Amino acid sequence: MRFREAVILAGVCALFASCGEERRAAEQDDLIESDDRKGADVWLRATDRTEPALWLAQREAGGAVGVREPAVERIRAALLSAQPHFLESDRMLANRTAQVGQMLAADGHAEDFAQLISSLVAIAATAGQKQTYGEVCQHYYNLRHSGVEREEALRMLAARYRTQKQFR
């Protein structure tokens, strides 16, 4: 039995060791400038030194955006508000937001990234426990893709996630 436990523990350790190191910018001075990589920034990788809010604002704008521009500040604030409600890092929230934003735009439903994050934070907050951002995004996208209007989709999701409190 001890050998089996050791093998399981080693497997779990290997899994965690393979995960990318995540770091959140705690202070304004900790912000990391974007690298100009010309097309290499399709997704924000764990090894990238780009601040997630800046990267996401640049994706949304389709080009260079200054670190102190209002769009970056709004995304930065939205990511900060997401931390207590989602399991993923800022980097993963930025990647998923870019992906869902691109999918919504392809459907003719382009949305402001900061507003999208904030809206999904409000959904997760109704559950009263941390959620998986990718799952909430997928539920939201599925509703929007099927033709449900934005406010109605948010209302439906809030009602669905609110039921989690009842079953805890």
Side-chain angles (χ1 to χ4, degrees), residues 39-61:
D41 59 352
V42 172
W43 300 115
L44 191 57
R45 296 177 303 260
T47 56
D48 289 341
R49 295 185 39 85
T50 304
E51 181 203 4
L54 177 62
W55 178 85
L56 191 55
Q58 290 174 341
R59 281 288 298 259
E60 185 173 34

Side-chain angles (χ1 to χ4, degrees), residues 1 15 26 29 41 43 46 52-53 65 80 83 86 95 109-110 127 129 141-142 147 156 163 165:
M1 189 70 170
L15 177 65
D29 295 341
D41 59 352
W43 300 115
V65 174
L80 184 63
Q83 291 174 4
F86 293 109
N95 279 334
H109 306 296
Q129 62 187 17
Y141 172 75
N142 287 346
M156 291 169 69
T163 63
K165 282 185 179 178

Side-chain angles (χ1 to χ4, degrees), residues 42 44 74 77 86 91 97 103 121 127-128 138 167-168:
V42 172
L44 191 57
R74 288 184 322 100
F86 293 109
R91 178 184 67 82
T97 301
M103 292 164 53
V121 165
Q138 189 63 51
F167 298 106
R168 282 194 291 150

Side-chain angles (χ1 to χ4, degrees), residues 129-148:
Q129 62 187 17
K130 283 196 172 199
Q131 300 295 313
T132 304
Y133 187 69
E135 184 176 312
V136 178
C137 285
Q138 189 63 51
H139 289 228
Y140 179 70
Y141 172 75
N142 287 346
L143 288 169
R144 297 289 282 136
H145 184 68
S146 70
V148 177

Side-chain angles (χ1 to χ4, degrees), residues 23-25 27-28 30-35 44 48-58 66-68 72-73 75-77 79 90-91 94:
R23 186 177 80 73
R24 295 180 191 266
E27 300 291 330
Q28 290 292 338
D30 292 342
L31 299 180
I32 300 169
E33 297 289 332
S34 171
D35 294 333
L44 191 57
D48 289 341
R49 295 185 39 85
T50 304
E51 181 203 4
L54 177 62
W55 178 85
L56 191 55
Q58 290 174 341
V67 169
R68 304 279 182 231
V72 178
E73 296 293 341
I75 292 172
R76 193 175 288 133
L79 290 172
D90 288 352
R91 178 184 67 82

Side-chain angles (χ1 to χ4, degrees), residues 78-104:
L79 290 172
L80 184 63
S81 73
Q83 291 174 4
H85 302 287
F86 293 109
L87 298 170
E88 295 92 339
S89 67
D90 288 352
R91 178 184 67 82
M92 289 304 299
L93 294 174
N95 279 334
R96 185 67 67 205
T97 301
Q99 180 185 36
V100 170
Q102 183 177 12
M103 292 164 53
L104 288 168

